[in-house]
Coordinates of all heavy atoms in Angstrom, one line a residue:
K150 N 215.6 131.0 179.1 CA 214.7 130.8 180.2 C 213.6 129.9 179.9 O 213.3 129.0 180.7 CB 214.1 132.2 180.7 CG 213.3 132.1 181.9 CD 212.8 133.5 182.3 CE 211.8 133.5 183.5 NZ 211.3 134.8 183.8
L151 N 213.0 130.0 178.7 CA 211.9 129.1 178.3 C 212.5 127.7 178.2 O 211.8 126.7 178.6 CB 211.4 129.5 176.9 CG 210.3 130.6 176.8 CD1 210.0 130.9 175.4 CD2 209.1 130.1 177.5
L152 N 213.6 127.5 177.6 CA 214.3 126.2 177.4 C 214.5 125.6 178.8 O 214.2 124.4 178.9 CB 215.6 126.3 176.6 CG 215.4 126.6 175.1 CD1 216.8 127.0 174.5 CD2 214.8 125.4 174.4
Q154 N 212.9 126.1 181.5 CA 211.6 125.8 182.1 C 211.0 124.5 181.5 O 210.5 123.6 182.1 CB 210.6 126.9 181.9 CG 210.8 128.1 182.8 CD 209.9 129.3 182.4 OE1 209.2 129.2 181.4 NE2 209.9 130.3 183.2
L155 N 211.2 124.4 180.1 CA 210.6 123.3 179.4 C 211.4 122.0 179.5 O 211.0 120.9 179.3 CB 210.4 123.7 177.9 CG 209.3 124.7 177.7 CD1 209.4 125.2 176.2 CD2 208.0 124.2 178.0
Y159 N 210.3 118.1 178.9 CA 210.8 117.5 177.7 C 212.3 117.1 177.8 O 213.1 117.8 178.4 CB 210.7 118.4 176.4 CG 209.3 118.8 176.1 CD1 208.8 120.0 176.7 CD2 208.5 118.1 175.3 CE1 207.5 120.4 176.4 CE2 207.2 118.5 175.0 CZ 206.7 119.6 175.6 OH 205.4 120.0 175.3
A171 N 211.8 122.1 171.0 CA 211.9 123.3 170.1 C 210.5 123.7 169.7 O 210.2 124.9 169.6 CB 212.7 122.9 168.9
M172 N 209.6 122.8 169.4 CA 208.3 123.1 168.9 C 207.5 123.8 170.1 O 206.8 124.8 169.8 CB 207.5 121.9 168.5 CG 208.0 121.3 167.1 SD 208.1 122.6 165.8 CE 206.4 123.0 165.6
E173 N 207.6 123.3 171.3 CA 206.9 124.0 172.4 C 207.5 125.4 172.7 O 206.8 126.3 172.9 CB 207.0 123.1 173.6 CG 206.2 123.7 174.8 CD 204.7 123.9 174.5 OE1 204.1 123.1 173.7 OE2 204.1 124.8 175.1
T174 N 208.8 125.5 172.6 CA 209.5 126.8 172.8 C 209.0 127.8 171.7 O 208.6 128.9 172.0 CB 211.0 126.7 172.7 OG1 211.4 125.7 173.7 CG2 211.7 128.0 172.9
T175 N 208.9 127.3 170.5 CA 208.4 128.1 169.4 C 207.0 128.5 169.6 O 206.6 129.7 169.3 CB 208.6 127.4 168.0 OG1 210.0 127.0 167.9 CG2 208.3 128.3 166.8
K176 N 206.1 127.6 170.0 CA 204.7 127.9 170.3 C 204.6 129.0 171.4 O 203.8 130.0 171.2 CB 204.0 126.7 170.8 CG 203.7 125.7 169.7 CD 202.9 124.5 170.3 CE 202.8 123.4 169.3 NZ 202.2 122.2 169.8
Q177 N 205.5 128.9 172.4 CA 205.4 129.9 173.5 C 205.9 131.3 173.0 O 205.5 132.3 173.4 CB 206.2 129.4 174.7 CG 205.4 128.3 175.4 CD 205.8 128.0 176.8 OE1 206.4 128.9 177.5 NE2 205.6 126.8 177.2
I178 N 206.9 131.3 172.1 CA 207.4 132.5 171.5 C 206.3 133.2 170.7 O 206.1 134.4 170.8 CB 208.7 132.3 170.7 CG1 209.9 131.9 171.6 CG2 209.1 133.5 169.8 CD1 211.1 131.4 170.9
Q179 N 205.6 132.3 169.9 CA 204.5 132.9 169.1 C 203.4 133.4 169.9 O 202.7 134.4 169.5 CB 204.0 131.8 168.2 CG 204.9 131.5 167.0 CD 204.3 130.4 166.1 OE1 204.3 129.2 166.5 NE2 203.7 130.8 165.0
A180 N 203.2 132.9 171.1 CA 202.1 133.3 172.0 C 202.4 134.7 172.6 O 201.5 135.3 173.2 CB 201.8 132.3 173.0
N181 N 203.7 135.1 172.5 CA 204.1 136.4 173.1 C 204.5 137.3 172.0 O 205.7 137.2 171.6 CB 205.3 136.1 174.1 CG 205.8 137.3 174.8 OD1 205.6 138.4 174.3 ND2 206.4 137.1 175.9
P182 N 203.7 138.2 171.5 CA 204.0 139.0 170.4 C 205.3 139.8 170.5 O 206.0 140.0 169.6 CB 202.8 139.9 170.2 CG 201.7 139.2 170.9 CD 202.3 138.4 172.0
L184 N 208.0 139.1 172.4 CA 209.1 138.2 172.3 C 209.3 137.7 170.8 O 210.4 137.6 170.3 CB 208.9 137.0 173.2 CG 210.0 135.9 173.2 CD1 211.4 136.5 173.4 CD2 209.7 134.8 174.2
L185 N 208.2 137.4 170.2 CA 208.2 137.0 168.8 C 208.9 138.1 167.9 O 209.8 137.8 167.1 CB 206.8 136.7 168.2 CG 206.7 136.3 166.8 CD1 207.5 135.0 166.5 CD2 205.3 136.1 166.3

Side-chain angles (χ1 to χ4, degrees):
K150 183 178 175 183
L151 277 174
L152 288 167
Q154 289 172 350
L155 292 170
Y159 299 91
M172 289 307 298
E173 184 59 33
T174 301
T175 305
K176 284 179 189 176
Q177 291 197 23
I178 291 170
Q179 285 182 284
N181 181 337
L184 178 56
L185 177 61

